Amino acid sequence: MFGLFLRRLRPVSGPPGPLSARLESSLSACGAPELPAARIRSTFLDFFRQKHGHLLVPSSPVRPRGDPSLLFVNAGMNQFKPIFLGTVDPRSEMSSYRRVVNSQKCVRAGGKHNDLEDVGRDVYHHTFFEMLGTWSFGDYFKEEACQMAWSLLTEHYGIPVDRLYVSYFAGDPGSGLPADEETRHIWLELGVPPGRLRPFGLKENFWEMGDSGPCGPCTEIHYDHVGGRDAAALVNTDSPDVVEIWNLVFMQYNRELDHSLRLLPQFSVDTGMGLERLVSVLQGKRSNYDTDLFMPLLHAIHQRSKVGPYGGRTGATDEGNVDMAYRVVADHIRTLSVCIADGVHPGMSGAELVLRRILRRAVRFCVEVLQAPQGALASLVPTVAHMLGDVYPELHREADRIADVINENEAHFLSSLQQGSRLILRTLSRKDYKHGVFPASVAWSLHRDLGFPLDLVDLMLEERGVQVDRQELDRLIAENQKVMSELQSGVQSQVMLDVLSLAELQRLRVPHTDDSFKYQYTLEQDQYVFPACSATVVALYDGQTLASEVTEGQRCGVVLDRTCFYSEQGGQSHDQGYFTRDGLQDVVYPVEAVVLAGGYVVHQVTAADSLKTGDQVQLHLDQVHRLSCMVKHTATHILNFALREVLGPSVQQRGSHVSADRLRFDFSVKGSLSVSQLQQVERCVHDIISANHIVHSQELPLQTARSIDGLRTVDEVYPDPVRVVAVAVAVSDLLDGHTDRPTSVELCCGTHLLQTGAIEDLVIVSERQMVKGISRIVAVTGRDATRAREAGQVLSQDVDSLTARLTSSAPLGLDSAQRLAKEVGVLSDAVDNTPVPQWQRRELQSRLKALQRTSNTTVRKLETREAAVRARALLEKNGGRQLQVDSVETDSLSIVMKTVNQLSAAAPHSHVMLLAHQRHSGKVLCACQVPKDSSSLSASDWAVAVCRHLGGSAGGSTLVAKGTGSSSDITEALRWAEEFARQKIQR
């Protein structure tokens, strides 16, 4: 199917180059590198950790932490953005980072950095790669960074100096930026010849985080694969011979919203070097795929394929694109393994959609080009785990689950291919199909609903000599992008302090907000009491800079010296309420959002009157909203515990959100929960609620807290000290090991109940697999839970009543049977859409499906019986004439169709059309059938012509068709239909 597609690809090829004598010696006689990738990685980390006092920070998962601007972590600096932006929690370990080194898992596919379609075409693009990185946060700067980089490359890795070139920032007069002469002089002092120092502009040597934020000049070190020549002119020309290996970014400016630049109060260094490219240099390879990071995988792929071994060919020399397929599969299985281990699963939107495309691309090349059997792709996971698992141990832990996810998605895709082929064939066989032009709407449906890559749709059509209506398809794509953009922009942006304003607050020694008051509530006579809170305005932010005063109607961020408002974090919604100003008690300042930035709690308000720093305010918390959030948050912890108790320790939290009306909880599990499992989880939760256990909380040093047995954590940067929340068992007892009682214990900054009884009840109203291996539960509590149970009981009684009527021994007439069938449909919609216990929904859905089958069977039998009566009457009236056009009395198109079928069976050489006129509405039902050997008149042409004449539409096949229209004169309609057919038959 895809042979034509594979022949049409034109990968970029680079000429092979000789290994330098210095690097050739790094290869042993048996072909294994003397300097393996694992040692290259550890040498980098040890050099900075042991020789230069850097802290080794583990790689973050490839799913970004709380950064909606990214699909995947695509650079080493992503996890450190809070430091660069000044928003890092001052109580967290991250706030103490000064010198850091790590090897970060990165994925570049989708979004701004998208290498997906280039992978396989050349020998150096990847979707997954490791970024070796170093950082200085306000510690050393340009000189030390350059010295360390040069020393590691030339002295420790032994790269010949005459192979290296350096680029630096040439300045940009239009931006008012001078050339980075400081960096140039540093390189000259380190011995880099002037001829090997190359200046470049903004595009090549000025790095920016985004449209606004920290930025600065960078200097890059480039390597010449050929050597023995002056290759300075090839730097930054995309030459495969001269490649960048290390980028050193000096963050010294902040890009403002008006695009101007201001110096940062603290300068930082961010360097990054791709491990795959470094390994190819040090192992003397021109291709990353020829290194020990990929060769074991390529060997494993060959063992599973029916083609020759990997040959490293590109472009026209790669016959059948076999080597391209090897590279695609080797790269993509690494990406799939790492992403799935980190909780990103193939799905229908965002990062999950990108991963689904990666998986399907890998499956296509694996099955079609490499001729590997189904399941071969997943069987490569142990090889990936063996190669990367020592550095990223989650690959070992999750290997079985990764393979399961890949196998399930592969099977689904191969099934979708067959379904898509059938849909294309059906579309091409339709009578309204315009020859040579395939409907864009169908192509878009294949892409959107079945996950077909659009290039695959093109291929399948091209093999049949057909093309998509490209103009209309482009319009549909643009329309979809516009809708997605509007959805994203619909969220009102928050007023967030920028890095310069945060630095100014610190320079002015404005103390961090004391938000401990959010926890200072008590339980008195079964009522929660939230004490009053007064505060002083210590800072105002107008969206661009700090201000001493804001005026009426101005949207701003208000920083107080203390607050009782909870800022949005840890999956819990921010508090609601308002504050009033002393001396102006009648004017209310509603709090629209509450966010935490660098230790400062920012209350977003639209000023109802003027407000100045130093003003005294009274805070008024929406206590009902807060208590509802407390109920849901404590219930979430109990639900998390119950899921683990019922499903086992493999359950891992993958996300949660707590709001006043409901809770949402995402977790890893192979498939949807059964009715029994849902009931067990709810019973476990109810037992804890009924016991009215005390909810204990205590602040502990982070390391101490992590030692607690059974502690549940998620991938977050926790403050130190950290708050520990435990149900039924005091935190001190958990620390002392005085109890072996299993209980809910988590690190959590949220606000919680003091006793579990206030939850009253919990009902899981939804549970479904978001993507393979990740389920989402939505639950309600208290009165909402009670209402859900009551609604479930009512619907259950309705189903009981309907069952009794359908299974009654009393004979049913057609009208009664049709009404009951409609009732089943209406009741099914109610069960699907009403908040009821999910276990009960599943039971009722199962019963209703059985009732639907029963009622449909009953209706079909009664319709067939009635159609037989009508057919006999018409046969007696018309006999077996060649052309029979007549009317019947019914309001069911199905009966009209069945009557036509029976008439045609009794008179197989007749052309039959029946019309049914609905006198009250004027609607006309139409059905027809023609003999199998009818060449002059097709059923679809006949029905379409008649229904169009009646202002309606029709469809069908050559033999049978049906449709609708409207007319006030059924006699005229019958005459027209008969005349149309007679002319066709006589012709």
Side-chain angles (χ1 to χ4, degrees):
M1 181 185 289
F2 309 114
L4 182 60
F5 167 77
L6 296 169
R7 287 198 299 275
R8 286 177 58 201
L9 287 176
R10 293 288 181 265
V12 179
S13 73
L19 297 173
S20 71
R22 175 77 173 270
L23 292 177
E24 192 170 11
S25 67
S26 72
L27 305 179
S28 67
C30 66
E34 287 183 358
L35 196 58
R39 198 191 312 166
I40 293 171
R41 187 194 294 111
S42 63
T43 297
F44 179 90
L45 300 176
D46 291 344
F47 174 82
F48 285 98
R49 189 163 55 92
Q50 296 173 1
K51 292 184 177 295
H52 296 286
H54 287 60
L55 176 70
L56 176 58
V57 174
S59 169
S60 69
V62 293
R63 181 187 286 279
R65 291 173 177 146
D67 188 348
S69 67
L70 294 175
L71 291 174
F72 300 98
V73 166
N74 58 23
M77 58 78 61
N78 290 161
Q79 69 168 310
F80 304 117
K81 279 176 76 171
I83 301 178
F84 292 123
L85 296 172
T87 60
V88 63
D89 189 331
R91 301 167 299 164
S92 68
E93 182 186 9
M94 186 181 283
S95 67
S96 66
Y97 291 170
R98 293 297 174 265
R99 298 180 175 211
V100 166
V101 63
N102 89 342
S103 178
Q104 173 64 48
K105 298 174 290 186
C106 297
V107 173
R108 288 188 178 173
K112 178 181 175 183
H113 299 286
N114 185 4
D115 292 347
L116 179 56
E117 293 306 319
D118 293 320
V119 170
R121 300 187 184 211
D122 54 39
V123 295
Y124 50 84
H125 272 100
H126 305 289
T127 51
F128 165 75
F129 64 96
E130 294 179 71
M131 183 66 83
L132 302 173
T134 63
W135 291 266
S136 163
F137 304 112
D139 193 327
Y140 61 82
F141 201 45
K142 296 180 180 179
E143 184 173 2
E144 294 91 335
C146 295
Q147 287 173 346
M148 293 177 203
W150 198 249
S151 171
L152 177 63
L153 293 179
T154 61
E155 298 169 16
H156 294 265
Y157 286 140
I159 296 177
V161 172
D162 62 7
R163 292 288 190 99
L164 298 177
Y165 297 81
V166 177
S167 63
Y168 68 96
F169 183 51
D172 185 71
S175 303
L177 288 168
D180 190 0
E181 289 295 322
E182 180 185 1
T183 297
R184 178 174 174 274
H185 287 300
I186 291 168
W187 287 121
L188 289 171
E189 290 175 5
L190 287 171
V192 178
R196 290 175 178 268
L197 269 172
R198 303 280 293 173
F200 288 92
L202 284 171
K203 179 182 176 183
E204 298 86 359
N205 280 87
F206 194 87
W207 186 91
E208 305 208 35
M209 185 181 293
D211 293 334
S212 61
C215 56
C218 62
T219 183
E220 297 171 326
I221 302 172
H222 303 255
Y223 176 80
D224 178 18
H225 277 289
V226 177
R229 60 177 182 164
D230 181 359
L234 296 177
V235 171
N236 279 337
T237 62
D238 292 327
S239 166
D241 295 332
V242 180
V243 294
E244 174 217 327
I245 56 174
W246 205 343
N247 186 13
L248 287 65
V249 179
F250 306 125
M251 293 201 194
Q252 59 191 83
Y253 299 105
N254 189 66
R255 177 74 71 181
E256 300 293 301
L257 292 172
D258 63 1
H259 301 298
S260 63
L261 291 167
R262 292 169 63 190
L263 280 175
L264 288 167
Q266 171 182 286
F267 290 178
S268 298
V269 175
D270 168 11
T271 85
M273 176 161 55
L275 175 67
E276 289 75 10
R277 186 169 289 180
L278 177 64
V279 170
S280 71
V281 167
L282 296 179
Q283 293 183 2
K285 304 293 185 183
R286 294 299 301 273
S287 164
N288 296 349
Y289 293 92
D290 291 339
T291 69
D292 65 334
L293 284 170
F294 288 94
M295 288 308 293
L297 258 178
L298 295 169
H299 178 67
I301 294 168
H302 176 235
Q303 290 179 319
R304 292 154 176 80
S305 73
K306 294 180 181 177
V307 297
Y310 178 67
R313 293 174 290 270
T314 60
T317 63
D318 181 18
E319 188 175 345
N321 289 303
V322 170
D323 287 340
M324 175 183 177
Y326 268 109
R327 290 187 291 268
V328 166
V329 174
D331 171 88
H332 288 7
I333 190 59
R334 287 177 13 125
T335 306
L336 289 163
S337 298
V338 167
C339 287
I340 295 169
D342 281 349
V344 183
H345 288 214
M348 292 299 290
S349 63
E352 285 79 9
L353 177 59
V354 174
L355 197 65
R356 185 175 75 152
R357 289 174 179 161
I358 290 172
L359 186 144
R360 294 185 166 199
R361 191 169 188 255
V363 169
R364 285 164 55 199
F365 279 99
C366 200
V367 173
E368 295 297 324
V369 184
L370 299 176
Q371 301 170 41
Q374 185 173 342
L377 189 63
S379 73
L380 298 170
V381 172
T383 306
V384 176
H386 176 73
M387 296 170 67
L388 296 175
D390 289 345
V391 194
Y392 310 116
E394 61 274 8
L395 290 170
H396 283 307
R397 290 196 306 269
E398 303 285 350
D400 290 344
R401 187 172 64 83
I402 296 166
D404 286 344
V405 171
I406 291 173
N407 276 329
E408 288 177 16
N409 279 273
E410 179 183 38
H412 188 262
F413 178 47
L414 295 175
S415 171
S416 294
L417 283 178
Q418 296 173 351
Q419 188 180 349
S421 296
R422 290 194 297 269
L423 179 58
I424 286 173
L425 288 173
R426 276 205 308 272
T427 304
L428 295 177
S429 65
R430 282 190 347 217
K431 282 292 179 181
D432 58 348
Y433 159 66
K434 296 176 182 176
H435 184 70
V437 182
F438 192 78
S441 59
V442 180
W444 180 244
S445 175
L446 283 166
H447 176 66
R448 181 193 58 205
D449 303 328
L450 292 180
F452 271 54
L454 288 172
D455 61 343
L456 176 57
V457 178
D458 286 335
L459 267 173
M460 296 172 75
L461 294 175
E462 191 168 317
E463 290 170 359
R464 294 170 173 83
V466 179
Q467 289 184 329
V468 176
D469 182 344
R470 180 58 56 182
Q471 186 174 351
E472 176 63 10
L473 182 61
D474 289 344
R475 187 192 68 77
L476 290 171
I477 293 171
E479 189 176 272
N480 180 68
Q481 290 171 340
K482 181 182 178 183
V483 169
M484 296 303 294
S485 175
E486 287 173 351
L487 285 174
Q488 292 171 354
S489 63
V491 180
Q492 190 178 36
S493 61
Q494 294 179 335
V495 177
M496 176 65 80
L497 292 167
D498 67 4
V499 61
L500 294 174
S501 298
L502 286 163
E504 180 66 9
L505 290 176
Q506 292 164 6
R507 188 189 69 80
L508 296 171
R509 300 189 183 281
V510 175
H512 294 139
T513 309
D514 178 4
D515 63 351
S516 61
F517 297 90
K518 66 191 178 190
Y519 299 126
Q520 293 181 10
Y521 46 88
T522 56
L523 187 56
E524 299 176 10
Q525 298 178 343
D526 293 333
Q527 295 291 319
Y528 280 85
V529 178
F530 298 89
C533 182
S534 59
T536 303
V537 177
V538 295
L540 295 165
Y541 181 68
D542 64 8
Q544 293 185 321
T545 184
L546 294 176
S548 59
E549 183 176 5
V550 292
T551 57
E552 180 181 348
Q554 194 169 353
R555 195 159 172 259
C556 63
V558 181
V559 179
L560 307 172
D561 63 338
R562 63 174 68 182
T563 186
C564 60
F565 279 68
Y566 182 82
S567 54
E568 180 139 4
Q569 55 187 315
Q572 180 177 326
S573 297
H574 61 78
D575 277 337
Q576 295 181 2
Y578 62 92
F579 54 77
T580 56
R581 203 179 85 199
D582 284 6
L584 203 64
Q585 300 297 334
D586 294 337
V587 178
V588 172
Y589 296 78
V591 175
E592 299 162 5
V594 189
V595 294
L596 183 65
Y600 298 101
V601 177
V602 184
H603 306 73
Q604 182 178 301
V605 304
T606 299
D609 203 298
S610 63
L611 195 64
K612 304 189 297 293
T613 54
D615 280 349
Q616 302 294 307
V617 294
Q618 297 291 326
L619 280 68
H620 301 267
L621 182 69
D622 184 334
Q623 297 180 13
V624 173
H625 178 273
R626 160 66 83 82
L627 184 56
S628 295
C629 288
M630 288 161 56
V631 166
K632 305 303 184 298
H633 206 147
T634 302
T636 301
H637 281 217
I638 297 171
L639 176 63
N640 189 1
F641 171 75
L643 286 166
R644 193 164 179 140
E645 286 290 288
V646 173
L647 304 177
S650 63
V651 171
Q652 297 293 328
Q653 180 176 340
R654 294 299 185 187
S656 68
H657 189 262
V658 172
S659 60
D661 60 338
R662 61 178 52 195
L663 66 91
R664 188 196 76 212
F665 189 79
D666 300 344
F667 59 101
S668 59
V669 66
K670 191 169 183 180
S672 280
L673 275 62
S674 66
V675 166
S676 173
Q677 288 171 328
L678 288 165
Q679 290 172 325
Q680 289 178 65
V681 170
E682 282 195 5
R683 277 198 297 270
C684 183
V685 173
H686 295 153
D687 289 345
I688 296 171
I689 294 171
S690 300
N692 199 23
H693 288 307
I694 294 174
V695 180
H696 301 269
S697 61
Q698 184 178 335
E699 273 202 352
L700 293 175
L702 184 57
Q703 284 303 109
T704 304
R706 289 190 185 279
S707 69
I708 295 175
D709 190 37
L711 181 74
R712 306 301 302 275
T713 61
V714 293
D715 177 48
E716 285 185 9
V717 177
Y718 288 103
D720 192 3
V722 67
R723 192 173 178 84
V724 180
V725 177
V727 175
V729 180
V731 176
S732 57
D733 290 342
L734 292 169
L735 280 172
D736 297 339
H738 289 164
T739 178
D740 57 0
R741 173 182 179 179
T743 189
S744 165
V745 54
E746 300 189 27
L747 303 183
C748 184
C749 62
T751 57
H752 284 271
L753 296 172
L754 301 178
Q755 290 181 249
T756 60
I759 299 172
E760 297 178 2
D761 191 8
L762 178 139
V763 167
I764 296 170
V765 295
S766 172
E767 185 276 326
R768 63 189 178 94
Q769 288 255 298
M770 302 297 294
V771 293
K772 290 287 185 183
I774 303 289
S775 267
R776 169 169 292 177
I777 277 178
V778 175
V780 292
T781 61
R783 292 179 183 175
D784 289 333
T786 302
R787 281 192 282 267
R789 292 193 190 282
E790 291 170 349
Q793 287 301 312
V794 170
L795 287 171
S796 181
Q797 291 166 6
D798 290 344
V799 173
D800 289 342
S801 171
L802 191 55
T803 303
R805 284 183 285 154
L806 270 170
T807 55
S808 169
S809 57
L812 283 173
L814 179 57
D815 288 345
S816 298
Q818 288 174 331
R819 278 198 302 272
L820 286 174
K822 287 180 181 177
E823 279 189 54
V824 174
V826 170
L827 195 49
S828 294
D829 287 342
V831 168
D832 290 345
N833 299 304
T834 304
V836 297
Q838 182 68 5
W839 64 263
Q840 190 173 33
R841 189 193 317 278
R842 296 250 174 91
E843 286 188 342
L844 294 177
Q845 286 171 333
S846 178
R847 291 177 62 189
L848 284 165
K849 282 179 183 174
L851 289 178
Q852 192 79 65
R853 286 193 295 270
T854 301
S855 64
N856 288 345
T857 300
T858 302
V859 167
R860 277 197 300 272
K861 286 180 179 178
L862 291 169
E863 286 181 341
T864 301
R865 190 183 306 162
E866 186 164 324
V869 172
R870 295 171 188 276
R872 278 195 300 271
L874 288 167
L875 276 170
E876 290 174 3
K877 175 183 175 184
N878 300 319
R881 292 191 315 217
Q882 182 188 23
L883 179 60
Q884 297 192 45
V885 179
D886 213 325
S887 64
V888 290
E889 294 289 332
T890 181
D891 59 359
S892 167
L893 183 57
S894 177
I895 290 179
V896 180
M897 193 75 247
K898 285 180 172 65
T899 307
V900 166
N901 295 154
Q902 296 201 30
L903 268 175
S904 296
H909 300 294
S910 290
H911 296 73
V912 179
M913 175 176 280
L914 297 180
L915 303 181
H917 190 218
Q918 317 297 297
R919 290 187 176 85
H920 59 282
S921 65
K923 186 176 182 181
V924 176
L925 309 178
C926 168
C928 65
Q929 185 166 338
V930 300
K932 291 181 180 179
D933 58 357
S934 174
S935 58
S936 56
L937 176 63
S938 79
S940 58
D941 286 349
W942 193 8
V944 167
V946 171
C947 290
R948 280 182 179 168
H949 175 70
L950 300 176
S953 61
S957 66
T958 308
L959 296 180
V960 294
K962 59 185 177 181
T964 60
S966 60
S967 174
S968 58
D969 186 352
I970 190 64
T971 304
E972 190 279 334
L974 290 167
R975 184 200 59 75
W976 196 95
E978 184 171 350
E979 183 61 28
F980 177 88
R982 195 178 302 283
Q983 289 179 6
K984 292 281 185 181
I985 294 170
Q986 290 173 350
R987 189 183 306 163

